[in-house]
Amino acid sequence: MSEGLNPVRVRFAPSPTGYLHLGGARTALYDYLLAQKSGGQFVLRIEDTDRKRFIEGAEQDLMNSLRWLGLQWDEGPDIGGPYGPYRQSERKQIYQEYGEKLVEQGNAYYCFCTPERLVKVRAEKQSKKEPPHYDRTCRNIPLEEARKRIAAGEPHVLRFKTPMEGTTTVKDLLRGEITFENKTLDDYIIIKTDGWALYHLAAAVDDHLMKITHVIRGSEWLPTAPLHSMIHRAFGWEEPVWVHLSVFLKPSGKGKMSKREAAELSKDGYSIFVKDLDGLGYLPEAMVNWTALMGWSYDDHTEFFTMQDLIEKFSLEKLNPSPAAINFTKFDYFNKLHIKALSDAELAQRLKPFFEKAGIEAPIATLELVAPILKERITTLDDAVEMARFFFVDDITYMTERFPIEGCSKTETLVIGTKVEQALNSIEVWDTDHLDTSMRALMEQEGKEPRQFFGFLREVISGQRISPPLFESMQILGKAVVLQRLRNALSFIEEKVA
Ligand code: GLU
């Protein structure tokens, strides 16, 4: 626990209307870091009162994605906690009670305007170039009359009675005080006709009841922040600290991230959805490091952070409200760094599923041998399959255009090949040193360049232009396999190459 930081209670409050994306992941990460750092609690609250936008399976996706990132919550719908339930759809009654309190206090009123009327009001306001707010027709209906109409079964909503004059100031941790003219605000609906509270009321009530100390969320919530503040104030509650994070811009830096842009990204092997990243070969460690730095920095040069580093170093003071462009090249960079930082055994474990998916049986023991030489060369775990498949499959596909040895005839290539076979055969200790000495000596004896000679050997053992270092690869493959491949390659040249 860091000095001077009281234990916080933070909540990540997604609506199950879609999959967890970059923006949500960053919010949840900052929540988690702050809770861990301060010895507080990270609460997961599912804001599912908007039943129309509910997507089956989204809650499960959110939880899976958070867990994959390593952001385990302390209280939540699945594990419970002292302030549950943590799904807003299970708290309908609570919001109704608090809505009723606002009515009694004179901070809210029942509105009986029909949807048709509201559409007309909005259209009229728009034609006069005024904000499309409700015209407050029901604001002055005496409460008793309103209650009678409700008892008679008349459909109604509950609206917050926003002051019509003066200002409301919200204090945001990153932006300071933001003052809103009350006349620019609406009498927002807080409970709908069907009795479901809208997010604004539900969130304010829950933040209070769940003793949330800091509300960290995207800056798209800034325009309705005054309403949240007003609800807290109407009840006389202490407001949480408001922290509205920077917006994410498209990779080009021009404009906000859109759905179309997100679809474009998938063509390049990227995704803004956390659920896709595992399959694309990204490490959760890299995602955490990358997103942590989109809106926060420690100093002007440190880039590599593990979760533990972040817990130690994270601070709200270093959050930056300026928009951050999503830079996937940087994501690749962090993925490389975190792949390099894995132990060979760990990397082998993480690579295994990628080979399985490609239908390649890759024993862990071999993967562990291959891990150190792949580490320096792959950007995503997925890259390993193409680069290292020749370690696990025997049917190497040779291509006629890659033979004979550059600058040599077919006959000369076959002669050199046979000499390679003899030299390899006579190596007793099959390791990189001995392979290096023997092959270099033969190359010199034949008067060939490394490009020609080693390029040939690389083709023979892997059928690939690009592969991990030659002698390490040969050592891992073993003498018998290498000799077999050489014989296969020589017959291929003999039969197929002109
Ligand atoms: N349910 C809101 C969302 O889906 C949460 C906003 C907030 O954190 O207050 O983003």
Side-chain angles (χ1 to χ4, degrees), residues 11 13-15 45 47 199 203 207 215-217 220-221 228:
R11 89 299 193 275
S15 299
R45 185 171 77 217
E47 303 206 321
Y199 152 73
D207 286 342
V215 167
I216 304 177
R217 61 185 176 192
E220 66 273 24
W221 298 105
H228 295 213

Side-chain angles (χ1 to χ4, degrees), residues 190-226:
I190 51 178
I191 295 185
K192 290 180 291 177
T193 326
D194 57 10
W196 281 103
L198 273 168
Y199 152 73
H200 306 293
L201 176 65
V205 167
D206 288 348
D207 286 342
H208 170 70
L209 294 179
M210 295 179 181
K211 298 196 164 43
I212 299 302
T213 59
H214 293 68
V215 167
I216 304 177
R217 61 185 176 192
S219 56
E220 66 273 24
W221 298 105
L222 213 43
T224 44

Side-chain angles (χ1 to χ4, degrees), residues 376-390:
E376 308 289 326
R377 290 171 176 75
I378 54 175
T379 301
T380 63
L381 296 177
D382 199 33
D383 293 343
V385 178
E386 275 315 296
M387 198 172 282
R389 75 175 334 124
F390 71 93

Side-chain angles (χ1 to χ4, degrees), residues 93-110:
Q93 192 66 33
I94 301 175
Y95 309 131
Q96 280 173 340
E97 280 164 26
Y98 279 91
E100 196 52 40
K101 268 193 201 165
L102 286 176
V103 174
E104 273 156 28
Q105 293 174 188
N107 298 112
Y109 62 93
Y110 295 104

Side-chain angles (χ1 to χ4, degrees), residues 13 16 80 125-126 150 155 163 166 173 177 196 210 219 223 229 240 278 291 314-315 317 324 358 396-397 465 476 495:
K125 295 248 173 184
Q126 269 163 344
I150 292 169
L173 191 79
E177 292 189 345
W196 281 103
M210 295 179 181
S219 56
S229 275
D278 191 22
T291 39
F314 183 75
S315 71
E317 291 72 39
I396 304 297
T397 313
R465 278 256 158 88
I476 295 168
E495 288 162 27

